[in-house]
Amino acid sequence: MVTRQVPNPVELLELMKFKKPELNGKKRRLDSALTIYDLRDIAKRRTPKAAFDYTDGAAEGELSLSRARQAFEDVEFHPGILKPAPTVDTSVEILGGPSALPFGIAPTGFTRLMQTEGETAGAGAAGAAGIPFTLSTLGTTSIEGVKAANPEGRNWFQLYVMRDREISYELTRRAAAAGFDTLQFTVDTPVAGARLRDKRNGFSIPPQLTLGTIINAIPRPWWWFDFLTTPKLEFASLSTTGGTVGELLDAAMDPTISYDDLAVIRDLWPGKIVIKGVQNVEDSVRLRDAGVDGIVLSNHGGRQLDRAPIPFRLLPHVRKAVGDDFTVMVDTGIMNGADIVASVALGADFTLIGRAYLYGLMAGGRQGVDRTIEILRTEIERTMRLLGVSTLAELEPKHVTQLARLVPVAADAAGALAR
């Protein structure tokens, strides 16, 4: 029989510790986010629909993005047992310099439309965390402004080749003069992808007010206050604005870019150069043989060609073809530190995060980006410990199995089905 007694208040106090309330609303909001998807939920509540959908969306049916995320979820890890990893080293050498973590911030365009601190928040957070930050050609903070926000850290520049080549050449010269150490030459945007959410929302640069946008803004006055009371958006690479993002891209980009353009940029650029937007093994080998410093396997976050190859699926095939001494990076679909660990295990030297960073930015500005990095750092460290590895160099393909979901139809089988 259970013996009962009158509760002793002193003993009750020992069992119950009341948590001190957090009075800072932003900190309380960000502390409640335990995953990148939590930050996404906060960002969606706080950002007008058109700006959020521009960030969150992808091309056409958004299959490329959903498949990329699914590929990371379709991973089975194989931990080693009795291999203590009380401490882990997440640092890596990439493109001639250090990074405290195996990921950097990817280039994103029109960033201050998502949250007014924009690239300044991203660059500052990256510098504080000891990871690289990449400024987009279509960024809304100048090259010099990013350098000021991250004066001692590693800044990279992403370059589009514009119809007016001299714009691209001048941006290259400015980035070099500002001390940016790596150029990401992007090759997957000869024309803009069909981003249907933007069309349906009437999303334009600059934002145009409609009855729908006004109604959507009513519960989000802070976004409009920030937007209207901070310096106007400026685009280093666009002389005119007015239209959807797709229309602006189509007007600025040149579908005739070629290896000749790459040769010109290589002559202008004194630092490391990597090609971003590579989507097959043959191009990977060709670029290695052409002498570039590395490649980024990427389908532009699913924002260009829908049904494009999944970079994470492509990764082990590219690594096998180009060998161990060529720099291979990967992006698209990363939402968890475990995704980064799996990428490194299958041969990636480094990874880049885009939407994950922007969700944090929309959720809480600079502090939100800090929270993104901290969430991913914690997930990376925990995954490594559970796998029984202390350094990134210990990660190998044996630690990961990619589970089959989308299996290609063999050529002979396809022919049989057609008959």
Side-chain angles (χ1 to χ4, degrees):
M1 177 177 290
V2 176
T3 302
R4 300 189 183 276
Q5 64 183 25
V6 177
N8 184 328
V10 174
E11 293 176 350
L12 286 177
L13 288 174
E14 291 176 354
L15 292 173
M16 295 185 295
K17 301 292 184 182
F18 290 96
K19 184 178 179 180
K20 182 180 179 181
E22 176 56 66
L23 301 180
N24 184 308
K26 179 188 288 189
K27 188 175 187 306
R28 183 172 64 249
R29 183 169 69 244
L30 294 175
D31 286 348
S32 71
L34 304 181
T35 69
I36 301 301
Y37 282 106
D38 289 342
L39 288 174
R40 179 187 179 276
D41 291 341
I42 297 170
K44 187 174 183 178
R45 293 197 300 267
R46 297 188 60 81
T47 310
K49 178 177 172 58
F52 177 81
D53 278 356
Y54 169 73
T55 305
D56 192 59
E60 301 189 43
E62 305 190 357
L63 297 174
S64 290
L65 176 59
S66 63
R67 288 175 180 177
R69 287 180 173 168
Q70 187 66 60
F72 281 119
E73 293 177 7
D74 289 346
V75 158
E76 182 178 86
F77 282 119
H78 305 291
I81 61 169
L82 301 179
K83 294 182 177 180
T87 61
V88 295
D89 180 2
T90 60
S91 64
V92 63
E93 287 287 316
I94 184 69
L95 296 168
S99 178
L101 294 160
F103 68 89
I105 291 180
T108 60
F110 312 110
T111 311
R112 283 188 55 220
L113 277 173
M114 302 156 204
Q115 202 274 351
T116 190
E117 295 176 57
E119 291 90 355
T120 299
I131 64 175
F133 174 83
T134 313
L135 173 64
S136 169
T137 291
L138 300 178
T140 44
T141 301
S142 70
I143 290 168
E144 295 76 16
V146 165
K147 178 65 175 179
N150 186 22
E152 304 300 327
R154 297 187 67 188
N155 294 308
W156 296 354
F157 187 68
Q158 175 269 333
L159 182 72
Y160 288 120
V161 173
M162 316 293 281
R163 290 180 186 272
D164 183 347
R165 294 294 197 270
E166 190 53 42
I167 293 176
S168 299
Y169 300 159
E170 179 58 23
L171 289 170
T172 302
R173 296 185 190 103
R174 283 174 57 192
F180 285 47
D181 66 74
T182 296
L183 186 77
Q184 292 183 22
F185 185 95
T186 298
V187 295
D188 59 6
T189 314
V191 296
R195 301 171 192 178
L196 302 186
R197 288 205 219 182
D198 294 348
K199 292 181 181 294
R200 292 180 178 123
N201 289 329
F203 183 64
S204 63
I205 309 294
Q208 296 181 0
L209 294 178
T210 65
L211 178 60
T213 57
I214 292 172
I215 292 173
N216 186 254
I218 290 173
R220 301 170 178 86
W222 50 80
W223 188 93
W224 286 101
F225 177 79
D226 283 342
F227 180 75
L228 296 172
T229 59
T230 52
K232 75 171 189 176
L233 300 181
E234 295 183 356
F235 305 92
S237 60
L238 297 178
S239 58
T240 60
T241 58
T244 66
V245 173
E247 290 167 347
L248 292 173
L249 287 174
D250 282 340
M253 302 307 169
D254 190 339
T256 69
I257 63 169
S258 67
Y259 273 82
D260 291 338
D261 292 297
L262 173 59
V264 173
I265 297 300
R266 288 184 71 184
D267 286 342
L268 290 173
W269 183 253
K272 302 289 187 180
I273 186 166
V274 299
I275 311 305
K276 184 176 186 295
V278 181
Q279 299 181 62
N280 64 55
V281 172
E282 293 78 11
D283 284 336
S284 302
V285 173
R286 185 179 180 187
L287 288 164
R288 179 204 62 186
D289 294 344
V292 300
D293 296 294
I295 57 174
V296 183
L297 301 178
S298 170
N299 64 30
H300 212 104
R303 297 166 73 80
Q304 286 300 105
L305 176 66
D306 206 11
R307 301 175 175 84
I310 301 167
F312 179 61
R313 293 284 198 202
L314 185 61
L315 172 61
H317 304 289
V318 168
R319 173 52 73 197
K320 181 179 179 180
V322 300
D324 294 334
D325 297 329
F326 185 61
T327 297
V328 177
M329 301 188 283
V330 67
D331 73 13
T332 303
I334 293 172
M335 292 287 284
N336 190 293
D339 303 341
I340 296 169
V341 171
S343 298
V344 174
L346 290 183
D349 296 293
F350 203 65
T351 63
L352 296 169
I353 60 165
R355 287 182 181 85
Y357 140 62
L358 296 176
Y359 293 143
L361 178 68
M362 291 186 289
R366 163 63 192 274
Q367 292 169 258
V369 183
D370 290 335
R371 185 62 180 150
T372 289
I373 295 171
E374 184 55 34
I375 287 172
L376 293 175
R377 182 202 308 273
T378 299
E379 291 169 341
I380 290 169
E381 292 177 348
R382 180 171 59 245
T383 303
M384 290 175 66
R385 287 192 177 101
L386 290 172
L387 286 174
V389 299
S390 298
T391 68
L392 295 170
E394 294 175 50
L395 290 168
E396 299 180 61
K398 70 179 183 180
H399 289 111
V400 174
T401 294
Q402 292 181 309
L403 303 176
R405 185 181 295 259
L406 296 175
V407 181
V409 176
D412 54 350
L417 288 172
R419 289 194 290 271

